[in-house]
Amino acid sequence: MQAEALASVPADATALIRRAAALIFDVDGTLAETEELHRQAFNHAFACHGLDWQWGRAVYKDLLRVTGGKERMRAYHARLEMGSPLSNADIAELHRIKTARYAELVKTGSCPLRPGVTELLAAVKARGQRLAIATTTSHGNIDELLSQALGTHWAAQFDAVVAGDDVSHKKPAPDVYLETLARLKLGAADCVAIEDSANGLIAASRAGIPVLITRSTFFRDEDFSAARVVLDDLSELGGARQETEKQPHAQ
Ligand code: XBP
Ligand code: MG
């Protein structure tokens, strides 16, 4: 059976989820389809800063190969090979405006958690398994999204929350996943990473963590053959939610 075909069998997905001591979630694209809001927020920042940059979906999809909003803007500017260089201060100011706009957009409630996410989080906690977050975005963005979706005390559900600025190198480097494992005091093989992008798959795999992919809008047609399981979304994990007896790793 081809890896991709095998990887798409929900039974494998259920087994992978249920045997893990901890599930480590990516944020953007995995918990919610946030990248469209990020794209709109970037364009808002460019207009505020007097730049005639406007990132359409096709351009943004390509730019998403660069992780980190600040790094993404630098990469785009470098491609333009024109105009005066953007200083670090310019990039920081653009990212500040973008992040503020992103928060406003999230607060409108227009970016709910993806199908199956809320139910899976509840089932995992009911089984005594642990939850963590390993993302490239910022703590502020995580808090905006999950306060809106899970309430202001969302962080109490997670044993570790590691963001892009907590580590030296962003995905596809393994840093954010290695830091998460260190904070959880767990081995890579005892966890599963839930991701939506090739960079996220590479980062978790480099940390030795098995990966379940949930395909997202901007990364639907990526090569995920290195993943253990590939789903269209987490609602396919119905089985992983029904039984709630404690797991062997249960706290
Ligand atoms: C996705 C990213 C982030 C977001 C934008 O993070 O690469 O850069 O696109 O957020 P992940 P920032 O999928 O690892 O959650 O502008 O705050 O970087
Ligand atoms: Mg992602």
Side-chain angles (χ1 to χ4, degrees), residues 25-31 34-35 38-39 42 60 63-73 95 98-99 102 133-142 162 164-165 170-171 176-177 195-197 199-200 219:
F25 284 85
D26 164 56
V27 173
D28 294 304
T30 296
L31 290 179
T34 53
E35 289 299 354
H38 282 301
R39 183 184 73 86
F42 278 114
Y60 193 62
L63 285 170
L64 275 171
R65 290 184 296 161
V66 178
T67 58
K70 295 188 281 279
E71 296 80 353
R72 195 166 300 143
M73 289 188 281
H95 200 248
K98 175 262 176 184
T99 300
Y102 175 77
I133 284 174
T135 176
T136 302
T137 195
S138 61
H139 281 286
N141 286 351
I142 302 167
V162 183
D165 289 342
K170 292 185 168 81
K171 300 174 186 177
V176 71
Y177 279 106
E195 271 281 356
D196 74 306
S197 70
N199 279 327
F219 295 113

Side-chain angles (χ1 to χ4, degrees), residues 25 43 46 93 121 123 137 141 157 204 215 235-236 238 247:
F25 284 85
N43 287 335
F46 302 150
E93 176 62 5
L121 294 176
T137 195
N141 286 351
Q157 298 183 47
R215 288 187 189 278
S235 64
E236 292 182 55
Q247 284 299 86

